Amino acid sequence: MRVTWSGGELTFRLDPEDEITGKAADEHPVKLATNTCTISGVPADAHPDLYAVAAWTVVAPWTRRKVTFDRAVSAEVAAALHDGWGVEAGPVGAEPRSAGGTLAISYSGGADSVAASAVYPDAPFVHFRRVPHARVPNRWPHYRSDVLAKLAKRTGRDLTVVESDLEFTLAEPRPGYPEHHAVAAGALLLADRMDLGGLAFGYELGSRWLGGDRYLLRYTPDNPMWAPHGAWGRLFAAVGVHIVLPVGGVSEAVTMRLALNSDLKDQVRWCLRGTDGPCRTCGKCLYKELIQAAVERRPIDTPITADRPVARKWLQPPPFGGQEMIEYGLARVPGIEQSLFAKAIDHFDATEESTSWLDHCYPPAIDEIPPRWRDEAAAFLTSNVGLMTEREIRRVETWGS
């Protein structure tokens, strides 16, 4: 893979051994659509390692043996790419970037992201906004990135909006991030200007420790995407921008509660389709409605019926992604047996007691937060959530076994 930057435009050319269809870090297949993309606001004097890692978040799935950058990178970044992906990176010759002193939040506006913002109320936001690509037709016109950006501006927080068409580098399965970490490409390139030493994401217990929703459906301490000792964690650390997961130890029920109780509750939006509010007809709206209904102890309110395709995956026999939150909802939503989730009850023996571990924080997640920002998160989570008991910790660590 050969990578070139011209201002904020990234161009990459595949080597003979590279493949058009590759796999992201979570093993999900992704097919390449085009070899160019742009990122707004790129400073010309960004450290070469930042250019390299930002590019790697885009090109990693299709690179097999080596990656050649258009400027020298540090030996530390080259080593992280070799150790994490087995690729030879070069040329090598730059001094490593020192970590900055600021923690920013990669802010999407969803409940998990807002919960992370509640942990660090003074942290600035970096919001990624998808914009059209000059050469790739938009097959997702219903994705309302403009609405999400407007809501981000209404938070009143120190906000930087990064616009990019990098999601259109994907032909299949649909426009999206080649790697989950590509959402951070803009923040990486702005790291020197913002003095970033850490970037906080809203990934929660299910994504960090329970395998996420499209790969390993079991306890995964060595999660390849979000563990600090994983390939991506080591690579971000090599450029002095540590991955921080403020809510990595709590469930989506907790992040929902924290978000709805926060000062930003009016800006919470997990739906990518709605304009004046959530569309209420997509699969994400259904999933989040179940969680919100469980948190608020009220009946589920959705126009979706059990025969709709968006409901199908949660009505099949387990295991599946998000299973812990389906169990949580089944145990707490009044009248669930009269809802579209009635059939799902047959697959579980969920009770409030059996799902109570999802109301507390998994302590090892706090230990993973870099020391500079750990105490603030620990104090918030201890006082607002509470830590898991030893029995609850074992429930996490035996998940999926």
Side-chain angles (χ1 to χ4, degrees):
M1 184 68 69
R2 289 160 290 166
V3 170
T4 303
W5 285 96
S6 177
E9 182 178 31
L10 169 66
T11 301
F12 51 97
R13 297 187 182 277
L14 279 64
D15 290 332
E17 67 271 14
D18 295 333
E19 300 178 14
I20 295 296
T21 299
K23 289 184 178 180
D26 60 6
E27 298 297 317
H28 201 71
V30 289
K31 185 176 181 180
L32 185 65
T34 186
N35 70 330
T36 65
C37 62
T38 58
I39 300 174
S40 70
V42 176
D45 59 349
H47 192 284
D49 282 353
L50 297 173
Y51 274 107
V53 176
W56 187 248
T57 68
V58 178
V59 306
W62 304 294
T63 306
R64 292 295 167 266
R65 294 184 194 169
K66 64 180 180 179
V67 56
T68 303
F69 299 107
D70 63 346
R71 61 205 73 191
V73 298
S74 70
E76 286 77 1
V77 162
L81 288 168
H82 181 270
D83 294 346
W85 286 268
V87 300
E88 298 297 328
V92 176
E95 291 296 317
R97 176 183 180 271
S98 299
T102 300
L103 174 70
I105 293 174
S106 178
Y107 181 77
S108 70
D112 302 332
S113 186
V114 171
S117 306
V119 177
Y120 297 114
D122 299 321
F125 289 170
V126 181
H127 177 72
F128 180 98
R129 181 187 173 189
R130 177 195 292 183
V131 295
H133 195 285
R135 297 193 291 118
V136 180
N138 183 4
R139 296 186 291 113
W140 252 33
H142 54 276
Y143 180 100
R144 297 305 302 267
S145 65
D146 58 324
V147 173
L148 300 179
K150 288 177 183 176
L151 288 170
K153 291 178 181 178
R154 293 174 188 168
T155 62
R157 295 279 281 264
D158 181 355
L159 172 70
T160 300
V161 176
V162 174
E163 296 184 341
S164 177
D165 57 11
L166 68 81
E167 292 181 82
F168 291 99
T169 57
L170 288 193
E172 295 176 6
R174 58 183 175 272
Y177 304 123
E179 292 281 4
H180 289 276
H181 305 76
V183 70
L188 286 166
L189 292 167
L190 293 168
D192 287 339
R193 182 178 294 176
M194 298 180 68
D195 189 38
L196 295 188
L199 187 63
F201 299 85
Y203 290 100
E204 36 61 55
L205 181 74
S207 296
R208 167 60 187 96
W209 298 97
L210 305 184
D213 84 333
R214 66 180 202 188
Y215 69 118
L216 305 169
L217 303 176
R218 57 177 171 79
Y219 175 63
T220 315
D222 298 323
N223 184 307
M225 296 183 295
W226 305 117
H229 57 277
W232 283 104
R234 297 196 307 273
L235 181 60
F236 270 59
V239 295
V241 183
H242 293 270
I243 290 175
V244 180
L245 303 183
V247 292
V250 302
S251 71
E252 289 178 87
V254 172
T255 60
M256 178 68 76
R257 176 171 60 80
L258 293 175
L260 296 178
N261 289 335
S262 79
D263 294 339
L264 305 184
K265 62 181 181 298
D266 293 335
Q267 283 77 47
V268 176
R269 179 70 59 83
W270 48 79
C271 178
L272 305 179
R273 303 178 181 225
T275 53
D276 297 327
C279 72
R280 304 185 71 233
T281 58
C282 70
K284 193 167 187 180
C285 277
L286 175 60
Y287 178 66
K288 292 294 187 178
E289 167 60 20
L290 177 68
I291 297 171
Q292 186 174 354
V295 169
E296 296 177 344
R297 300 293 183 134
R298 59 165 174 78
I300 191 169
D301 179 16
T302 177
I304 299 174
T305 54
D307 58 345
R308 290 282 306 279
V310 295
R312 190 173 301 148
K313 72 175 181 178
W314 290 302
L315 305 182
Q316 300 297 318
F320 45 75
Q323 179 177 318
E324 74 279 7
M325 295 318 305
I326 300 298
E327 294 187 33
Y328 187 92
L330 294 177
R332 286 168 175 75
V333 173
I336 194 71
E337 61 278 359
Q338 279 82 48
S339 75
L340 66 92
F341 286 99
K343 293 181 181 178
I345 298 174
D346 297 337
H347 301 306
F348 303 101
D349 186 22
T351 65
E352 290 199 33
E353 182 179 3
S354 71
T355 57
S356 63
W357 56 287
L358 294 163
D359 284 322
H360 304 125
C361 179
Y362 181 58
I366 298 176
D367 296 336
E368 285 192 339
I369 296 174
R372 180 176 294 179
W373 302 291
R374 186 181 302 154
D375 288 348
E376 186 174 4
F380 180 93
L381 293 166
T382 301
S383 61
N384 291 279
V385 179
L387 303 182
M388 289 184 179
T389 64
E390 288 299 323
R391 182 178 180 181
E392 291 171 334
I393 290 172
R394 286 195 299 274
R395 186 71 181 90
V396 174
E397 296 175 354
T398 56
W399 180 256
S401 62

